[in-house]
Amino acid sequence: MMNQMADLLAKKLCDGVTLTTVQDANYKTNRITCSFFLPLCTETASLYAILPRLLTRACSTYPDFTLLNQRLSEL
């Protein structure tokens, strides 16, 4: 049996934001990752460092990681 390579597509959405997709028939699930490239300066370094954790850990509907993870499991 021959394995097919996954299709990789990168699309620039705007300055500093690129959407990269990988399509592979071997997998049933999807994962979305956003990468932001921002200038680093002393005034914003701590704010930029905590932002990814906040985005992956909670939101107003699911305020802690356990509730968020339970909801993601239901989907």
Side-chain angles (χ1 to χ4, degrees), residues 1-8 21-30:
M1 177 151 87
M2 180 186 237
N3 285 339
Q4 285 186 328
M5 290 185 58
D7 292 328
L8 178 68
T21 62
V22 180
Q23 292 183 344
D24 192 329
N26 295 320
Y27 298 100
K28 297 187 290 184
T29 59
N30 296 314

mmCIF file of all heavy atoms in Angstrom, residues 1-8 21-30:
data_model
loop_
_atom_site.group_PDB
_atom_site.id
_atom_site.type_symbol
_atom_site.label_atom_id
_atom_site.label_comp_id
_atom_site.label_asym_id
_atom_site.label_seq_id
_atom_site.Cartn_x
_atom_site.Cartn_y
_atom_site.Cartn_z
ATOM 1 N N MET A 1 0.839 -1.168 0.000
ATOM 2 C CA MET A 1 0.000 0.000 0.000
ATOM 3 C C MET A 1 0.885 1.232 0.000
ATOM 4 O O MET A 1 1.817 1.345 0.769
ATOM 5 C CB MET A 1 -0.900 -0.005 1.235
ATOM 6 C CG MET A 1 -1.730 1.232 1.311
ATOM 7 S SD MET A 1 -3.287 1.020 2.125
ATOM 8 C CE MET A 1 -3.049 1.234 3.775
ATOM 9 N N MET A 2 0.577 2.198 -0.845
ATOM 10 C CA MET A 2 1.387 3.391 -0.994
ATOM 11 C C MET A 2 0.833 4.514 -0.123
ATOM 12 O O MET A 2 -0.364 4.784 -0.136
ATOM 13 C CB MET A 2 1.407 3.815 -2.454
ATOM 14 C CG MET A 2 2.213 5.042 -2.713
ATOM 15 S SD MET A 2 2.008 5.508 -4.431
ATOM 16 C CE MET A 2 3.688 5.504 -4.935
ATOM 17 N N ASN A 3 1.694 5.171 0.660
ATOM 18 C CA ASN A 3 1.276 6.313 1.475
ATOM 19 C C ASN A 3 1.333 7.583 0.648
ATOM 20 O O ASN A 3 2.301 7.833 -0.037
ATOM 21 C CB ASN A 3 2.192 6.484 2.690
ATOM 22 C CG ASN A 3 1.913 5.455 3.747
ATOM 23 O OD1 ASN A 3 0.841 4.873 3.774
ATOM 24 N ND2 ASN A 3 2.867 5.233 4.614
ATOM 25 N N GLN A 4 0.280 8.386 0.721
ATOM 26 C CA GLN A 4 0.274 9.678 0.059
ATOM 27 C C GLN A 4 0.817 10.726 1.015
ATOM 28 O O GLN A 4 0.595 10.644 2.224
ATOM 29 C CB GLN A 4 -1.137 10.079 -0.343
ATOM 30 C CG GLN A 4 -1.664 9.342 -1.531
ATOM 31 C CD GLN A 4 -3.012 9.914 -1.930
ATOM 32 O OE1 GLN A 4 -3.772 10.365 -1.098
ATOM 33 N NE2 GLN A 4 -3.286 9.904 -3.218
ATOM 34 N N MET A 5 1.501 11.707 0.467
ATOM 35 C CA MET A 5 1.970 12.812 1.292
ATOM 36 C C MET A 5 0.807 13.742 1.582
ATOM 37 O O MET A 5 -0.112 13.889 0.782
ATOM 38 C CB MET A 5 3.081 13.578 0.587
ATOM 39 C CG MET A 5 4.366 12.805 0.497
ATOM 40 S SD MET A 5 5.701 13.791 -0.200
ATOM 41 C CE MET A 5 5.780 15.152 0.918
ATOM 42 N N ALA A 6 0.854 14.386 2.734
ATOM 43 C CA ALA A 6 -0.172 15.354 3.096
ATOM 44 C C ALA A 6 -0.016 16.606 2.237
ATOM 45 O O ALA A 6 1.083 16.970 1.844
ATOM 46 C CB ALA A 6 -0.052 15.705 4.571
ATOM 47 N N ASP A 7 -1.137 17.254 1.936
ATOM 48 C CA ASP A 7 -1.119 18.508 1.193
ATOM 49 C C ASP A 7 -0.910 19.655 2.168
ATOM 50 O O ASP A 7 -1.666 19.815 3.125
ATOM 51 C CB ASP A 7 -2.431 18.708 0.444
ATOM 52 C CG ASP A 7 -2.611 17.714 -0.692
ATOM 53 O OD1 ASP A 7 -1.585 17.323 -1.284
ATOM 54 O OD2 ASP A 7 -3.753 17.338 -0.967
ATOM 55 N N LEU A 8 0.116 20.452 1.927
ATOM 56 C CA LEU A 8 0.452 21.585 2.777
ATOM 57 C C LEU A 8 0.193 22.862 1.997
ATOM 58 O O LEU A 8 0.654 23.015 0.876
ATOM 59 C CB LEU A 8 1.923 21.513 3.192
ATOM 60 C CG LEU A 8 2.447 22.647 4.044
ATOM 61 C CD1 LEU A 8 1.806 22.607 5.427
ATOM 62 C CD2 LEU A 8 3.954 22.546 4.177
ATOM 63 N N THR A 21 -2.348 25.142 6.395
ATOM 64 C CA THR A 21 -3.240 23.991 6.515
ATOM 65 C C THR A 21 -2.538 22.742 6.002
ATOM 66 O O THR A 21 -1.745 22.808 5.066
ATOM 67 C CB THR A 21 -4.545 24.191 5.729
ATOM 68 O OG1 THR A 21 -4.248 24.335 4.341
ATOM 69 C CG2 THR A 21 -5.307 25.403 6.216
ATOM 70 N N VAL A 22 -2.845 21.637 6.637
ATOM 71 C CA VAL A 22 -2.320 20.344 6.225
ATOM 72 C C VAL A 22 -3.515 19.425 6.061
ATOM 73 O O VAL A 22 -4.276 19.214 7.001
ATOM 74 C CB VAL A 22 -1.351 19.751 7.271
ATOM 75 C CG1 VAL A 22 -0.832 18.406 6.812
ATOM 76 C CG2 VAL A 22 -0.215 20.715 7.552
ATOM 77 N N GLN A 23 -3.697 18.906 4.872
ATOM 78 C CA GLN A 23 -4.791 17.973 4.624
ATOM 79 C C GLN A 23 -4.195 16.588 4.420
ATOM 80 O O GLN A 23 -3.297 16.398 3.602
ATOM 81 C CB GLN A 23 -5.589 18.391 3.400
ATOM 82 C CG GLN A 23 -6.343 19.670 3.605
ATOM 83 C CD GLN A 23 -7.197 20.028 2.397
ATOM 84 O OE1 GLN A 23 -7.027 19.500 1.318
ATOM 85 N NE2 GLN A 23 -8.125 20.937 2.617
ATOM 86 N N ASP A 24 -4.699 15.647 5.199
ATOM 87 C CA ASP A 24 -4.205 14.277 5.121
ATOM 88 C C ASP A 24 -5.381 13.340 5.343
ATOM 89 O O ASP A 24 -6.051 13.411 6.378
ATOM 90 C CB ASP A 24 -3.128 14.048 6.175
ATOM 91 C CG ASP A 24 -2.373 12.753 5.971
ATOM 92 O OD1 ASP A 24 -2.972 11.790 5.457
ATOM 93 O OD2 ASP A 24 -1.193 12.708 6.326
ATOM 94 N N ALA A 25 -5.655 12.489 4.408
ATOM 95 C CA ALA A 25 -6.792 11.569 4.486
ATOM 96 C C ALA A 25 -6.637 10.540 5.604
ATOM 97 O O ALA A 25 -7.596 9.876 5.981
ATOM 98 C CB ALA A 25 -6.983 10.852 3.152
ATOM 99 N N ASN A 26 -5.444 10.414 6.177
ATOM 100 C CA ASN A 26 -5.217 9.445 7.243
ATOM 101 C C ASN A 26 -5.772 9.879 8.599
ATOM 102 O O ASN A 26 -5.815 9.084 9.528
ATOM 103 C CB ASN A 26 -3.716 9.167 7.391
ATOM 104 C CG ASN A 26 -3.146 8.504 6.162
ATOM 105 O OD1 ASN A 26 -3.776 7.639 5.571
ATOM 106 N ND2 ASN A 26 -1.964 8.924 5.757
ATOM 107 N N TYR A 27 -6.189 11.137 8.716
ATOM 108 C CA TYR A 27 -6.645 11.655 10.004
ATOM 109 C C TYR A 27 -8.075 12.161 9.911
ATOM 110 O O TYR A 27 -8.481 12.721 8.904
ATOM 111 C CB TYR A 27 -5.725 12.789 10.476
ATOM 112 C CG TYR A 27 -4.306 12.321 10.682
ATOM 113 C CD1 TYR A 27 -3.339 12.560 9.716
ATOM 114 C CD2 TYR A 27 -3.952 11.623 11.823
ATOM 115 C CE1 TYR A 27 -2.033 12.111 9.891
ATOM 116 C CE2 TYR A 27 -2.655 11.175 12.006
ATOM 117 C CZ TYR A 27 -1.710 11.424 11.040
ATOM 118 O OH TYR A 27 -0.428 10.986 11.207
ATOM 119 N N LYS A 28 -8.835 11.983 11.018
ATOM 120 C CA LYS A 28 -10.226 12.407 11.053
ATOM 121 C C LYS A 28 -10.410 13.716 11.800
ATOM 122 O O LYS A 28 -11.472 14.295 11.764
ATOM 123 C CB LYS A 28 -11.091 11.346 11.731
ATOM 124 C CG LYS A 28 -11.122 10.016 11.018
ATOM 125 C CD LYS A 28 -12.112 9.080 11.652
ATOM 126 C CE LYS A 28 -11.619 8.626 13.004
ATOM 127 N NZ LYS A 28 -12.483 7.648 13.660
ATOM 128 N N THR A 29 -9.406 14.161 12.525
ATOM 129 C CA THR A 29 -9.547 15.358 13.339
ATOM 130 C C THR A 29 -8.756 16.519 12.749
ATOM 131 O O THR A 29 -7.886 16.333 11.909
ATOM 132 C CB THR A 29 -9.056 15.108 14.782
ATOM 133 O OG1 THR A 29 -7.687 14.705 14.729
ATOM 134 C CG2 THR A 29 -9.878 14.040 15.463
ATOM 135 N N ASN A 30 -9.096 17.707 13.208
ATOM 136 C CA ASN A 30 -8.432 18.926 12.760
ATOM 137 C C ASN A 30 -7.821 19.640 13.950
ATOM 138 O O ASN A 30 -8.304 19.524 15.074
ATOM 139 C CB ASN A 30 -9.422 19.881 12.095
ATOM 140 C CG ASN A 30 -10.010 19.308 10.850
ATOM 141 O OD1 ASN A 30 -9.291 18.773 10.026
ATOM 142 N ND2 ASN A 30 -11.321 19.415 10.700
#
